[in-house]
Amino acid sequence: MSSTRKLPWILPWLCAGAALYLYLNLFVLARVPILLSGDQLYFWMDAQRILHGELPYRDFFQFTPPATDLVYFLPFKLFGPYLWVTNLVVLVLGVALCGICFSIATELMELRLALASTLLFLTLIYTRLLNGTHHWFSVLAILGAVRVLLPAQSRARIFAAGSLLGLGCFFTQSHAGAGLLAVALWLGWKQFRASEKWGSRLADLSLLLLGFAVTLGIAESYFIVAAGWSRVWYFQVTYVLHYMVGETGSSFLGMPPWIGWRHLPSRVQYFTVYLLLPVVYGLTLLKCCAGKSKASSPEQLPKAMLLALTGSILLGEVVCSLNWLRIYTISMPAIILLLWLVGRSGVRRAGVRIVWAAILFIAATEIFHAQHGYVVAELPAGRAAMEPRDSEKLLWIRDHTQPEEFFFDSAWPGVYLPLKLRNPMFAEGVGLDIETRPEFVQEGIAQLDRKKVRYILWSPQLSLRDDQEPPTSSLAPLRVYLHQHYRKVKVFADEDEIWERE
């Protein structure tokens, strides 16, 4: 495209602007990191455990491949396990995602629309989460494979795409499987349209699978040797299929629970993204299959087809375990295709103006909220800005524990990194669903007893009467042990309890 010449000049400015915007959402005052939440906390905890010589599958629970643990472990090893390090990882991840979004968009549309799609993704999607979880890293690798294949499909590019998909599988096995299927279908569709011979199709598919298998095999090899093939297979495959597939949470469509009308704007955003994905993918697939577009080049249709296929199959994969975080993390293809469709519609000018207005409004709102309403305190992992509702609990535990002390947070790993505490159990936490296996509970009781853990942070959600206990629960022995060996010494405003060993 004619805009390719300008790309090297614009991309650094875009990345710098994205970094500044993310910094204002991740830090307050003079370099004080905001204490983040979300699924990334599990990977922070796992990285701490690796720092102490433990390994996933062998010494602590993990059902995803270990790449995200390593992403946090490496900077922890270099700089120490501090909160500013985690926020820096989230910032760099956001900039990388913006870079791949812009790079893919420029293959489909002019520079102004590509820029708008990238900034819409940054403000509407990524900043809503600020969660450096495994989904994002896997999607980054998958879209890297898409970007490699967009300009051409040489044998080297197909192998490289397979390798990137293998890397994506080292973060999230299900996402990469969906990405691999999408690329394979697209290669077959493209070669069918060109009436190429079956031998050529099979050769390309073999190269794709070879790149995938070689990269994934090399990445997993150390953990297979260290923990054993059977344990790696059990946690990454058997456990996921038996206990994780179909898990969506108790809220409507996997959205965050409704907590009042003041959060209506956020709820509108969630519904918008939920509706956006199937509508955009459906329209794009219809347009590509019909071969109709006002695109300046017919080469854009196959490119849009690849992006739509990838997004559609990723959407189908996450619908099996519907959750708003998963929907958001696989939405980048839809954001790009939305601008592609708007740019070729009869309402181009008005549509682009609406998009820019939404970008500016969301960005200003997010920065304002990020810079107000926090309590700043010194924690063992560094000075941090935290929500007032979290400060009471963290400061009390800080004042009653020492860094590197064993401490069990029963339902959520929110205290381990900020206070530099250690999880004494194989399990990352416990719950009332089938994900907490009876063997985890029995092993956990033995570990609590052997390590003489002084404090347990217990969630009242785990203390149900016998007649309220769901049939999936295995927690009864742990509750008995808690009441026999611990006494309640503190109840926080959110009703979480501190139990101290007698």
Side-chain angles (χ1 to χ4, degrees):
M1 297 176 62
S2 61
S3 59
T4 303
R5 180 178 56 86
K6 300 179 181 179
L7 180 60
W9 296 98
I10 293 177
L11 186 57
W13 287 102
L14 172 63
C15 292
L20 176 60
Y21 172 72
L22 288 171
Y23 180 87
L24 294 174
N25 281 277
L26 291 165
F27 294 85
V28 299
L29 303 176
R31 302 186 300 277
V32 177
I34 297 171
L35 181 60
L36 302 175
S37 187
D39 289 355
Q40 59 194 330
L41 272 64
Y42 290 101
F43 302 102
W44 300 356
M45 174 185 66
D46 293 347
Q48 285 180 275
R49 300 187 77 156
I50 296 175
L51 279 175
H52 287 98
E54 301 180 55
L55 280 180
Y57 317 116
R58 186 190 70 188
D59 302 312
F60 62 85
F61 172 82
Q62 178 61 281
F63 68 87
T64 62
T68 315
D69 300 342
L70 300 179
V71 165
Y72 288 103
F73 163 72
L74 292 175
F76 282 178
K77 186 71 173 178
L78 289 173
F79 306 111
Y82 297 107
L83 292 173
W84 70 264
V85 175
T86 61
N87 289 35
L88 180 63
V89 170
V90 173
L91 188 152
V92 173
L93 172 61
V95 172
L97 286 164
C98 286
I100 197 69
C101 181
F102 184 68
S103 182
I104 291 173
T106 54
E107 289 287 323
L108 289 168
M109 64 193 80
E110 63 191 76
L111 225 53
R112 288 181 299 172
L113 292 176
L115 183 62
S117 67
T118 304
L119 295 181
L120 183 63
F121 163 77
L122 176 63
T123 54
L124 179 66
I125 303 298
Y126 189 75
T127 311
R128 172 59 58 184
L129 274 70
L130 291 180
N131 187 342
T133 184
H134 64 102
H135 299 287
W136 278 129
F137 292 104
S138 183
V139 167
L140 178 63
I142 292 167
L143 292 178
V146 169
R147 179 61 183 87
V148 166
L149 291 174
L150 286 179
Q153 296 81 51
S154 66
R155 297 290 169 85
R157 285 179 176 271
I158 291 172
F159 182 84
S163 297
L164 285 167
L165 290 168
L167 179 62
C169 193
F170 194 45
F171 286 98
T172 308
Q173 54 272 57
S174 56
H175 285 348
L180 183 66
L181 175 60
V183 172
L185 288 175
W186 180 76
L187 288 173
W189 172 82
K190 197 169 184 296
Q191 292 174 343
F192 177 79
R193 290 178 75 228
S195 300
E196 295 183 10
K197 296 180 179 180
W198 279 102
S200 176
R201 300 176 195 176
L202 292 176
D204 288 349
L205 182 60
S206 298
L207 275 174
L208 183 74
L209 295 174
L210 179 63
F212 180 90
V214 168
T215 301
L216 181 60
I218 292 173
E220 292 271 20
S221 59
Y222 174 80
F223 298 93
I224 291 173
V225 172
W229 167 256
S230 60
R231 289 184 70 85
V232 172
W233 180 265
Y234 172 77
F235 286 110
Q236 289 191 19
V237 180
T238 306
Y239 179 90
V240 172
L241 292 176
H242 286 183
Y243 309 119
M244 299 295 297
V245 173
E247 178 270 320
T248 62
S250 58
S251 57
F252 177 63
L253 293 177
M255 293 185 183
W258 174 259
I259 53 177
W261 287 103
R262 65 190 181 92
H263 291 281
L264 180 61
S266 297
R267 186 58 55 123
V268 171
Q269 282 194 34
Y270 298 140
F271 274 112
T272 299
V273 176
Y274 271 56
L275 290 173
L276 178 69
L277 270 63
V279 170
V280 167
Y281 293 144
L283 289 175
T284 304
L285 290 172
L286 286 174
K287 187 180 288 290
C288 291
C289 290
K292 297 177 182 179
S293 175
K294 296 180 182 179
S296 58
S297 169
E299 294 179 356
Q300 291 183 14
L301 281 181
K303 295 177 181 180
M305 184 67 167
L306 174 56
L307 205 57
L309 267 178
T310 303
S312 299
I313 296 177
L314 283 171
L315 177 61
E317 178 251 322
V318 302
V319 163
C320 297
S321 299
L322 191 60
N323 175 286
W324 77 276
L325 181 146
R326 295 168 189 152
I327 289 290
Y328 267 60
T329 55
I330 56 97
S331 62
M332 186 194 294
I335 298 295
I336 297 172
L337 292 171
L338 172 66
L339 269 294
W340 182 72
L341 291 170
V342 168
R344 280 142 188 86
S345 69
V347 293
R348 171 191 168 108
R349 181 172 296 182
V352 172
R353 286 178 178 176
I354 291 172
V355 168
W356 277 109
I359 290 169
L360 294 174
F361 175 77
I362 296 171
T365 303
E366 294 290 350
I367 291 175
F368 175 81
H369 287 305
Q371 296 297 317
H372 294 82
Y374 292 105
V375 174
V376 177
E378 292 289 346
L379 301 176
R383 200 175 185 206
M386 66 194 81
E387 297 280 356
R389 66 175 181 268
D390 297 328
S391 60
E392 176 201 12
K393 186 184 304 180
L394 284 170
L395 295 180
W396 190 96
I397 298 173
R398 178 200 66 181
D399 294 338
H400 290 79
T401 59
Q402 295 294 324
E404 307 305 322
E405 179 180 335
F406 284 115
F407 179 101
F408 183 53
D409 190 340
S410 61
W412 182 248
V415 304
Y416 294 118
L417 178 63
L419 304 179
K420 290 191 174 181
L421 298 173
R422 298 181 62 185
N423 185 346
M425 293 175 58
F426 177 83
E428 56 195 10
V430 294
L432 298 172
D433 48 30
I434 60 174
E435 295 174 27
T436 299
R437 308 306 305 143
E439 58 269 25
F440 295 173
V441 174
Q442 294 298 332
E443 185 176 359
I445 292 172
Q447 290 169 320
L448 290 171
D449 198 61
R450 184 168 61 251
K451 296 173 182 176
K452 306 299 179 187
V453 177
R454 182 181 178 188
Y455 289 113
I456 292 177
L457 179 61
W458 189 258
S459 171
Q461 304 171 27
L462 305 177
S463 296
L464 299 178
R465 299 195 311 266
D466 290 342
D467 60 335
Q468 297 176 321
E469 189 89 353
T472 56
S473 174
S474 306
L475 288 190
L478 181 58
R479 282 197 294 268
V480 171
Y481 179 83
L482 180 73
H483 286 84
Q484 288 179 344
H485 296 274
Y486 289 80
R487 61 187 178 91
K488 190 190 305 182
V489 296
K490 177 70 176 178
V491 179
F492 297 108
D494 62 358
E495 299 185 349
D496 278 1
E497 305 161 353
I498 288 287
W499 290 68
E500 183 178 14
R501 191 175 189 89
E502 293 184 312

Short mmCIF file of all heavy atoms in Angstrom, two decimals, residues 5 24 32 41 86 100 166 230 300 337 341 360 380 387 398 471 490:
data_model
loop_
_atom_site.label_atom_id
_atom_site.label_comp_id
_atom_site.label_asym_id
_atom_site.label_seq_id
_atom_site.Cartn_x
_atom_site.Cartn_y
_atom_site.Cartn_z
N ARG A 5 5.32 3.32 3.16
CA ARG A 5 6.52 4.14 3.28
C ARG A 5 6.53 4.95 4.58
O ARG A 5 7.58 5.22 5.15
CB ARG A 5 6.59 5.09 2.08
CG ARG A 5 7.79 6.01 2.06
CD ARG A 5 7.79 6.86 0.81
NE ARG A 5 6.56 7.63 0.67
CZ ARG A 5 6.37 8.81 1.25
NH1 ARG A 5 7.30 9.33 2.02
NH2 ARG A 5 5.24 9.47 1.07
N LEU A 24 -0.03 6.60 32.46
CA LEU A 24 -0.98 7.40 33.23
C LEU A 24 -2.11 6.56 33.81
O LEU A 24 -2.82 7.00 34.71
CB LEU A 24 -1.55 8.51 32.36
CG LEU A 24 -0.56 9.58 31.91
CD1 LEU A 24 -1.21 10.55 30.93
CD2 LEU A 24 0.01 10.33 33.12
N VAL A 32 4.59 6.05 41.34
CA VAL A 32 3.97 5.11 42.29
C VAL A 32 3.05 4.17 41.50
O VAL A 32 2.07 4.62 40.90
CB VAL A 32 3.16 5.86 43.36
CG1 VAL A 32 2.48 4.84 44.29
CG2 VAL A 32 4.06 6.78 44.16
N LEU A 41 -2.61 -11.99 38.90
CA LEU A 41 -2.08 -12.23 40.25
C LEU A 41 -1.61 -13.66 40.42
O LEU A 41 -0.64 -13.93 41.15
CB LEU A 41 -3.13 -11.89 41.30
CG LEU A 41 -3.17 -10.45 41.80
CD1 LEU A 41 -3.55 -9.49 40.69
CD2 LEU A 41 -4.15 -10.31 42.97
N THR A 86 5.64 -5.44 37.73
CA THR A 86 4.43 -6.01 37.13
C THR A 86 3.72 -4.97 36.27
O THR A 86 3.23 -5.29 35.18
CB THR A 86 3.47 -6.52 38.22
OG1 THR A 86 3.08 -5.43 39.06
CG2 THR A 86 4.14 -7.57 39.08
N ILE A 100 1.26 -4.63 17.03
CA ILE A 100 0.78 -5.67 16.12
C ILE A 100 -0.58 -5.29 15.54
O ILE A 100 -0.88 -5.57 14.37
CB ILE A 100 0.71 -7.05 16.83
CG1 ILE A 100 0.61 -8.19 15.81
CG2 ILE A 100 -0.44 -7.13 17.81
CD1 ILE A 100 1.85 -8.39 15.00
N GLY A 166 2.89 -22.14 17.83
CA GLY A 166 3.43 -23.01 18.88
C GLY A 166 3.81 -22.22 20.11
O GLY A 166 3.58 -22.66 21.25
N SER A 230 3.68 -37.34 32.52
CA SER A 230 2.32 -37.66 32.97
C SER A 230 1.69 -36.48 33.72
O SER A 230 0.50 -36.20 33.56
CB SER A 230 2.33 -38.91 33.86
OG SER A 230 3.14 -38.71 35.01
N GLN A 300 -6.95 -7.43 -0.56
CA GLN A 300 -7.39 -7.18 0.81
C GLN A 300 -8.44 -8.17 1.27
O GLN A 300 -8.58 -8.43 2.47
CB GLN A 300 -7.91 -5.75 0.94
CG GLN A 300 -6.81 -4.70 0.83
CD GLN A 300 -7.37 -3.31 1.03
OE1 GLN A 300 -8.48 -3.13 1.49
NE2 GLN A 300 -6.59 -2.30 0.67
N LEU A 337 -11.33 -5.05 11.93
CA LEU A 337 -12.30 -5.24 10.85
C LEU A 337 -13.45 -4.24 10.92
O LEU A 337 -14.04 -3.90 9.90
CB LEU A 337 -12.83 -6.68 10.89
CG LEU A 337 -11.78 -7.75 10.52
CD1 LEU A 337 -12.34 -9.14 10.80
CD2 LEU A 337 -11.37 -7.62 9.05
N LEU A 341 -14.58 -2.16 7.72
CA LEU A 341 -15.94 -2.10 7.21
C LEU A 341 -16.45 -0.66 7.16
O LEU A 341 -17.09 -0.26 6.17
CB LEU A 341 -16.87 -2.95 8.08
CG LEU A 341 -16.66 -4.47 8.01
CD1 LEU A 341 -17.47 -5.17 9.09
CD2 LEU A 341 -17.02 -5.01 6.63
N LEU A 360 -11.49 9.55 22.32
CA LEU A 360 -11.14 10.68 23.18
C LEU A 360 -11.90 10.65 24.50
O LEU A 360 -11.34 10.92 25.57
CB LEU A 360 -11.40 11.99 22.43
CG LEU A 360 -10.52 12.24 21.20
CD1 LEU A 360 -10.98 13.49 20.46
CD2 LEU A 360 -9.06 12.35 21.60
N PRO A 380 6.03 -4.25 51.43
CA PRO A 380 7.31 -4.93 51.20
C PRO A 380 7.72 -4.98 49.72
O PRO A 380 8.92 -4.98 49.42
CB PRO A 380 7.04 -6.34 51.75
CG PRO A 380 6.05 -6.12 52.85
CD PRO A 380 5.15 -5.02 52.34
N GLU A 387 -6.76 0.68 46.15
CA GLU A 387 -8.13 1.05 46.47
C GLU A 387 -8.30 1.11 47.99
O GLU A 387 -7.74 0.28 48.71
CB GLU A 387 -9.11 0.01 45.89
CG GLU A 387 -9.10 -0.09 44.39
CD GLU A 387 -9.91 1.01 43.73
OE1 GLU A 387 -10.54 1.80 44.48
OE2 GLU A 387 -9.91 1.09 42.49
N ARG A 398 0.37 -6.71 56.59
CA ARG A 398 1.76 -6.23 56.56
C ARG A 398 2.32 -6.07 57.96
O ARG A 398 3.49 -6.43 58.22
CB ARG A 398 1.81 -4.88 55.83
CG ARG A 398 3.19 -4.25 55.76
CD ARG A 398 3.12 -2.76 55.47
NE ARG A 398 2.49 -2.03 56.58
CZ ARG A 398 2.27 -0.72 56.58
NH1 ARG A 398 2.60 0.01 55.52
NH2 ARG A 398 1.69 -0.15 57.63
N PRO A 471 -22.66 -30.00 45.81
CA PRO A 471 -22.13 -31.36 45.71
C PRO A 471 -20.70 -31.41 45.17
O PRO A 471 -20.02 -32.42 45.32
CB PRO A 471 -23.11 -32.06 44.77
CG PRO A 471 -23.77 -30.96 44.01
CD PRO A 471 -23.84 -29.79 44.95
N LYS A 490 -9.47 -11.61 63.41
CA LYS A 490 -9.76 -10.34 62.75
C LYS A 490 -10.78 -10.57 61.64
O LYS A 490 -10.70 -11.57 60.90
CB LYS A 490 -8.47 -9.75 62.15
CG LYS A 490 -8.64 -8.47 61.35
CD LYS A 490 -8.99 -7.28 62.23
CE LYS A 490 -9.05 -6.00 61.42
NZ LYS A 490 -9.44 -4.84 62.25
#
